Amino acid sequence: MKRAPSQTPGRGVHPVKEHGGAEQSAKHSTPIKTEFALQPSAYYERPRAYSKKSGSILWLSGWSMPPAVLDDVRRELPEFRHFCADYGSAESPGAIADSVRRLALSLRARQPHGEPHERAFPAPLLIAGWSLGGLLALRLASEGLADGLVLIGATACFVRRPAEQHSGWAPASVQAMIPALRQDADRVLQQFRRLMFTKEERRDGLDARLPEASGWSVPGLIAGLELLVAEDVRDVLPDIHCPALLIHGMHDKVCPYGAALEIQAGVPQTVLVEAAGCGHVPFLQKERQTAETIRSWWNDSFERQNPASV
């Protein structure tokens, strides 16, 4: 990966358990090129305690995927407080969007912990979205609800006209999945999971590492597809003023790489990390590398925004 410049789900916020089982509450572009591969010796020693500088991350997962799919990435970021949104049982696109907005507002309204003199400086809130979650995260960031944005395999507009197929899907392809879900949801999900990986990744058994159960109801799956058809945040990308990190598979067939280039061009402070050889799940079996990429980017971004705190 190269860094280029610019089964019944619950609802609400889910605190994430750390390694030891303790529960936690939950336009700058630098042309840096770095390999995103198994290089554990290249990592800095990872902090083990929550840091106010790091703050909290609200995680928004992809269509048909449970929040647990990103658990291993979160475990590699113990200096953050982690919160997960679960919208797999939503019954409408509006219910999904409203639920994540309420969660973001709730997290931003929380009073920071610490000494009285520290409480005047609230800890930052990062919003991390994968796939569908990335589309939701972009909308929240455009409303000023994020201090930092992490987008994995994301898009600003999922359905596209024929001339834009390099950046998304045709509307008919997505809409055809809705009656198919009502008839045989398991078959649709199996086909979608296959599409998430390259042939080489499937050969290496990477697809088998996804959680077996999606945790999504059929109405929730349909609501998610309807949101993907309707939502288009391209016009508000320039309104996102927080730093943004994009991690995107170069061979992503769900959210094609052109979608990442579009976000990079539209969001002022963006760093794009290209995941060479990866499909739609570039963090799988690369959880530590993914976490270190997020950590390095956020530390750099925080220092740029708060030079007096360094």
Side-chain angles (χ1 to χ4, degrees):
M1 183 176 282
K2 295 184 178 180
R3 181 174 170 184
S6 349
Q7 239 355 61
T8 302
R11 295 175 182 266
V13 173
H14 297 263
V16 178
K17 292 186 182 295
E18 293 298 311
H19 285 294
E23 189 171 85
Q24 288 197 348
S25 310
K27 250 175 202 175
H28 175 76
S29 184
T30 305
I32 301 174
K33 292 181 179 290
T34 180
E35 290 299 322
F36 190 77
L38 290 172
Q39 300 172 354
S41 61
Y43 302 140
Y44 296 106
E45 182 178 352
R46 289 174 291 143
R48 295 293 179 180
Y50 164 70
S51 163
K52 280 183 62 64
K53 179 183 80 170
S54 300
S56 302
I57 305 180
L58 172 60
W59 294 86
L60 308 176
S61 191
W63 182 80
S64 80
M65 288 289 109
V69 72
L70 286 154
D71 276 356
D72 288 342
V73 177
R74 287 188 281 268
R75 291 188 185 100
E76 296 290 339
L77 292 166
E79 69 269 35
F80 292 87
R81 286 196 173 105
H82 297 279
F83 300 85
C84 300
D86 189 343
Y87 27 84
S89 58
E91 297 184 354
S92 71
I96 296 175
D98 290 345
S99 68
V100 298
R101 183 175 290 107
R102 286 195 300 270
L103 296 182
L105 287 167
S106 175
L107 290 172
R108 287 195 71 84
R110 286 173 178 258
Q111 290 296 319
H113 299 286
E115 298 300 323
H117 69 277
E118 295 177 328
R119 294 175 186 172
F121 304 98
L125 173 65
L126 280 64
I127 301 180
W130 170 43
S131 196
L132 168 63
L135 188 55
L136 294 166
L138 283 165
R139 176 66 73 183
L140 295 176
S142 74
E143 297 171 3
L145 296 180
D147 297 303
L149 192 59
V150 178
L151 303 172
I152 303 173
T155 179
C157 179
F158 189 67
V159 297
R160 304 290 180 136
R161 297 172 300 184
E164 300 174 322
Q165 295 303 295
H166 63 285
S167 298
W169 289 25
S173 299
V174 184
Q175 291 165 345
M177 294 172 67
I178 294 177
L181 281 168
R182 294 192 177 105
Q183 184 176 14
D184 189 346
D186 287 342
R187 182 170 176 269
V188 174
L189 293 180
Q190 288 173 4
Q191 292 174 337
F192 180 71
R193 286 182 174 219
R194 182 176 178 82
L195 194 64
M196 293 166 71
F197 297 93
T198 67
K199 180 173 68 174
E200 292 75 19
E201 288 173 329
R202 292 195 302 271
R203 180 197 62 203
D204 294 340
L206 202 61
D207 52 336
R209 296 182 60 86
L210 285 177
E212 291 185 9
S214 80
W216 286 54
S217 66
V218 171
L221 291 167
I222 292 173
L225 289 180
E226 290 174 341
L227 190 149
L228 286 169
V229 170
E231 187 73 327
D232 183 349
V233 300
R234 288 176 290 181
D235 289 347
V236 298
L237 293 181
D239 298 333
I240 298 174
H241 301 297
C242 65
L245 170 68
L246 279 65
I247 300 174
H248 211 103
M250 297 292 289
H251 302 287
D252 193 332
K253 294 180 181 178
V254 177
C255 295
Y257 184 67
L261 296 176
E262 185 175 64
I263 295 171
Q264 182 190 28
V267 178
Q269 300 182 68
T270 302
V271 170
L272 172 60
V273 176
E274 302 167 345
C278 294
H280 191 52
V281 200
F283 56 87
L284 208 57
Q285 285 194 313
K286 296 183 178 66
E287 289 84 2
R288 181 170 294 184
Q289 300 94 308
T290 301
E292 182 55 37
T293 298
I294 294 171
R295 175 181 294 116
S296 176
W297 158 80
W298 179 243
N299 286 343
D300 178 68
S301 298
F302 186 89
E303 290 169 6
R304 290 178 183 279
Q305 296 177 91
N306 303 275
S309 68
V310 179

